Amino acid sequence: MSDIRKSNSTSFLWKLLQIIKDSQQQHGLRHGDYQRYRGYCSRRLRRLRKTLGFKMGNRYKYSGKKVTVEMVRDNRYLLLVVMEAERAWSYAMQLKQEANTEPRKRFHLMARLRKAAKHGEQLERLCESPRVDAKTKLEAQAYTAYLTGMVQFELQEWKAAMEAFNKCKTIYEKLASAFTEEQAVLYHQRVEEISPNIRYCAYNIGDQNAINDLMQMRLSAGGGGGMMAEKLEALITQTRAKQAATMSEVEWRGRTVPVKIDKARIFLLGLADNEAAIVQAANEETKERLYETLLADCRDTIQAVREELRTDVKQRAGDSAESGKVSNLQYLHSYLTYIKLWTVVRRNESMAHALQAKLKEPQTDENKRGPRPQDLIRLYDIILQSLAELSTLQGLEEDHTFQKEVALKTLIYKAYRCFFIAQSYVLVKKWSEALVLYERVLKYAREVQSKAKNLNNSLKDLPDVQELIAEVNAEKYSLQAAAILDKEDVAEAPVQQQVKDTTPLSERLDTFRLDPSLLGKQPNLVQFPPDFQPIPCKPLFFDLALNHVAFPPLDDKVEQKGKGGLTGYIKGIFGFGS
């Protein structure tokens, strides 16, 4: 094995954490597939037992065996215990995923976690052998502390879990400081995995600042997601569930609404933290991931409120006194829908800003498709659709201030959408259409300025219309200049030269004419194939005198056949006639 080697003394060096991490990353845990990793651990155990001759009985009878300190002369016995612990731990994590829908699986989950911790303790005892070096002993202690902490964490024994995790963290930090940066990377990663659990235990013990630390950890996780991000999301949700017990009502647009649904309480309690995290996001990828998380939580909350609303509508069906008044539950549903739609608007506006920045950058790779104005038009279409749905929310039909704010925002985004439609026409040299659309943008912008005097507060989070007006004026002047130059190019070409002429270039070398086809793939340079031309031909000779030549007689040369009969035949045989 590459990670196990003998030293000069009798002890051997064993990279326990690296073996575990490599096995996890190569066999399913990169994608959170604990079942696949558990199958790998079982197969690895079978191979090790067969190689070592350490079988647990035969096919008919089981006889348990334990690895002892005397067997540690072969380091594969240590690997045997590690694989047993990893198999039990991966099965527990698989059951934890399934326990979300089947709560009774938590009993089996706890049994497997205790089994993993028991194997970890066995590994720690075996590593007390003098054949094991100090580094391996520390890694075994940290591994055992991690498994013990997981057991106490699931039992909600926060103090004991925090002590175990802190012990594990301290050992890995000490090991990281004792080796080079390349070797310390794995230890630092392990510390980052443990830190959210420690902060969550601290919050449950009484540290109220722990939730803020968890939020910062989620931000630092970046846009990659994965197991770390999922664990942080789960811990933050559990923390908010405890805080939500104190939340009973919410106020929106002058009306206080009681919140009795737990899922709605948890969502509204974390809304401010999520919005603050989006503002503090380091890059667009992280911001996009946070927006998607917020929208997913909002949709789930709306679905839960909608189910309660169906029951509430049935109960209120016979109550005619309050038939015209929007119920508290319906108003809460409108508030959550407003949050969802306005988040969609902000997300698409953020994506539009990122695309605008890329549009202004020079295109380096001609083969790669860059952003186009049409992409921005689609984003603003979604924004306008969301604003149209905002204006139809139940309970806000008579709120004239809200309707005015939505109408004003609609005008602003219409102006931006119209601006990018004009830019798409400029790309195809449709000058008149683009100029008309630029005038339409200016019309929308002036209308916004005239209506925004009484609604200054609603323009804080919206794009600046004055910048759009300045940009449109600059684009108009550029467009007019380009249109004039294009017309002059067309006017400079003589009329007779604009008539299509099929004469090849080789026959009109003395005449100048702009011919764009010469730069194309099939330039008309010469006539091909060329016309036939008359040329001198080789004479044909006919022997006409032969018909008038008289040849001499050849009768004397021709053999005369006589009348021989039988006599002549005999003479011919014996040669008398020759």
Side-chain angles (χ1 to χ4, degrees):
M1 295 176 61
S2 60
D3 294 327
I4 306 174
R5 63 180 186 275
K6 295 283 184 180
S7 65
N8 294 331
S9 61
T10 57
S11 63
F12 55 82
L13 303 177
W14 200 41
K15 299 179 180 179
L16 173 60
L17 183 61
Q18 186 171 349
I19 291 173
I20 293 172
K21 281 295 181 183
D22 289 346
S23 300
Q24 290 178 354
Q25 292 298 312
Q26 294 172 12
H27 298 93
L29 289 203
R30 182 175 297 177
H31 310 290
D33 190 350
Y34 292 100
Q35 185 175 4
R36 178 185 165 193
Y37 181 57
R38 180 166 68 94
Y40 161 75
C41 293
S42 299
R43 294 190 299 272
R44 186 82 183 270
L45 275 171
R46 191 180 302 114
R47 292 195 299 268
L48 284 170
R49 285 171 179 159
K50 185 175 181 180
T51 304
L52 295 170
F54 194 74
K55 296 183 179 180
M56 301 292 188
N58 52 36
R59 60 188 299 179
Y60 303 107
K61 184 179 179 181
Y62 171 80
S63 59
K65 293 182 181 180
K66 291 185 178 180
V67 180
T68 60
V69 178
E70 290 76 15
M71 297 179 180
V72 181
R73 288 174 304 204
D74 191 340
N75 43 46
R76 287 177 293 179
Y77 285 101
L78 292 180
L79 187 60
L80 194 69
V81 179
V82 171
M83 286 295 109
E84 287 179 340
E86 283 294 290
R87 180 175 64 172
W89 172 82
S90 59
Y91 194 12
M93 294 299 102
Q94 177 189 343
L95 291 169
K96 187 174 182 179
Q97 290 179 338
E98 298 172 357
N100 294 328
T101 55
E102 302 177 60
R104 291 213 39 97
K105 288 193 174 182
R106 283 196 57 82
F107 296 102
H108 195 184
L109 154 68
M110 293 308 306
R112 299 315 299 173
L113 267 183
R114 290 191 182 97
K115 189 75 171 178
K118 183 179 178 181
H119 287 305
E121 292 171 358
Q122 183 186 3
L123 175 66
E124 187 177 354
R125 287 194 301 270
L126 293 173
C127 287
E128 293 175 359
S129 168
R131 296 180 178 275
V132 181
D133 69 312
K135 172 176 171 291
T136 306
K137 290 179 180 179
L138 287 174
E139 287 194 2
Q141 291 175 12
Y143 183 63
T144 304
Y146 173 75
L147 293 175
T148 305
M150 290 297 296
V151 174
Q152 300 299 330
F153 189 87
E154 293 298 329
L155 291 173
Q156 297 185 3
E157 297 290 340
W158 308 118
K159 191 172 182 180
M162 188 173 178
E163 291 175 357
F165 284 135
N166 276 328
K167 178 183 176 181
C168 178
K169 180 181 177 183
T170 303
I171 293 174
Y172 282 132
E173 286 177 343
K174 293 294 184 183
L175 287 171
S177 62
F179 295 95
T180 61
E181 292 184 3
E182 294 180 357
Q183 295 174 329
V185 171
L186 276 177
Y187 299 124
H188 288 308
Q189 289 178 354
R190 192 66 157 180
V191 170
E192 289 177 2
E193 291 177 11
I194 298 169
S195 296
N197 291 348
I198 294 175
R199 298 311 301 157
Y200 185 68
C201 293
Y203 169 76
N204 284 283
I205 291 172
D207 186 359
Q208 298 299 324
N209 295 324
I211 183 63
N212 298 327
D213 296 337
L214 290 174
M215 294 295 294
Q216 291 299 324
M217 289 178 187
R218 183 175 69 169
L219 278 178
S220 62
M227 293 173 58
M228 185 68 177
E230 291 176 5
K231 181 186 290 186
L232 286 169
E233 291 292 344
L235 292 177
I236 290 170
T237 303
Q238 292 176 19
T239 306
R240 285 175 182 158
K242 292 182 177 294
Q243 294 177 344
T246 60
M247 182 181 181
S248 60
E249 59 185 22
V250 65
E251 183 179 354
W252 181 55
R253 302 201 70 84
R255 179 173 173 177
T256 302
V257 181
V259 183
K260 299 179 182 179
I261 304 172
D262 291 337
K263 197 171 189 65
R265 288 179 180 177
I266 295 172
F267 173 74
L268 293 173
L269 190 66
L271 181 60
D273 292 334
N274 284 326
E275 291 178 347
I278 290 171
V279 173
Q280 298 173 10
N283 50 51
E284 290 297 327
E285 187 177 359
T286 304
K287 187 180 291 187
E288 179 67 18
R289 181 177 62 83
L290 292 174
Y291 270 127
E292 291 298 331
T293 303
L294 178 58
L295 284 172
D297 293 342
C298 189
R299 293 188 192 101
D300 294 341
T301 307
I302 291 174
Q303 180 63 30
V305 174
R306 190 178 291 122
E307 292 174 359
E308 291 290 331
L309 192 58
R310 293 194 188 101
T311 307
D312 184 67
V313 169
K314 292 179 181 178
Q315 293 176 355
R316 291 167 54 88
D319 191 355
S320 60
E322 297 183 357
S323 59
K325 183 181 178 182
V326 176
S327 65
N328 289 332
L329 200 57
Q330 179 63 58
Y331 199 77
L332 178 62
H333 182 270
S334 297
Y335 177 46
L336 293 171
T337 307
Y338 167 80
I339 293 173
K340 185 193 77 170
L341 294 173
W342 186 239
T343 303
V344 171
V345 171
R346 290 167 53 205
R347 182 196 64 181
N348 283 277
E349 187 181 359
S350 175
M351 295 170 63
H353 286 318
L355 279 177
Q356 288 180 45
K358 291 181 180 179
L359 272 175
K360 295 177 181 178
E361 295 176 358
Q363 190 73 18
T364 55
D365 189 1
E366 295 181 357
N367 297 326
K368 185 178 180 181
R369 179 190 176 277
R372 299 178 299 175
Q374 290 87 337
D375 302 331
L376 287 157
I377 295 170
R378 175 58 184 159
L379 291 176
Y380 283 108
D381 281 335
I382 297 173
I383 290 175
L384 290 172
Q385 182 181 354
S386 300
L387 290 173
E389 293 180 21
L390 278 176
S391 61
T392 61
L393 290 177
Q394 292 188 17
L396 299 174
E397 298 89 345
E398 304 299 327
D399 191 341
H400 300 294
T401 304
F402 177 79
Q403 296 296 336
K404 288 180 181 178
E405 289 177 359
V406 173
L408 187 64
K409 293 171 184 176
T410 303
L411 280 176
I412 293 174
Y413 290 115
K414 273 186 177 180
Y416 273 91
R417 177 179 176 274
C418 197
F419 173 76
F420 289 108
I421 293 176
Q423 285 201 331
S424 65
Y425 276 113
V426 169
L427 292 178
V428 295
K429 296 185 178 181
K430 293 187 177 182
W431 315 116
S432 56
E433 291 88 342
L435 190 60
V436 171
L437 288 168
Y438 279 140
E439 293 294 339
R440 178 67 63 86
V441 174
L442 292 176
K443 176 187 174 184
Y444 284 142
R446 294 190 188 99
E447 193 173 349
V448 168
Q449 287 180 331
S450 63
K451 292 183 177 180
K453 295 177 181 178
N454 300 326
L455 297 171
N456 290 329
N457 293 332
S458 62
L459 294 176
K460 289 181 180 179
D461 300 330
L462 296 176
D464 190 1
V465 184
Q466 193 61 40
E467 292 182 3
L468 180 62
I469 292 174
E471 192 171 358
V472 168
N473 288 329
E475 291 289 339
K476 278 178 61 179
Y477 298 139
S478 300
L479 185 147
Q480 291 171 353
I484 292 171
L485 289 174
D486 192 43
K487 289 180 180 178
E488 288 179 354
D489 292 341
V490 175
E492 285 178 359
V495 177
Q496 63 271 17
Q497 292 178 357
Q498 295 178 11
V499 178
K500 188 174 181 180
D501 189 2
T502 59
T503 306
L505 179 64
S506 59
E507 298 179 8
R508 54 178 176 82
L509 295 176
D510 298 332
T511 305
F512 175 76
R513 177 164 63 85
L514 293 175
D515 190 358
S517 65
L518 295 177
L519 302 176
K521 294 183 179 180
Q522 295 179 347
N524 189 11
L525 301 177
V526 295
Q527 183 174 351
F528 185 85
D531 294 334
F532 289 103
Q533 295 181 0
I535 59 172
C537 182
K538 182 179 179 180
L540 297 176
F541 295 96
F542 298 96
D543 193 357
L544 301 178
L546 183 62
N547 298 327
H548 302 281
V549 173
F551 291 98
L554 299 176
D555 296 337
D556 56 339
K557 301 293 182 183
V558 177
E559 181 180 358
Q560 295 293 330
K561 293 183 178 181
K563 297 178 181 179
L566 180 60
T567 305
Y569 177 70
I570 295 172
K571 289 181 179 179
I573 292 174
F574 295 102
F576 297 131
S578 58

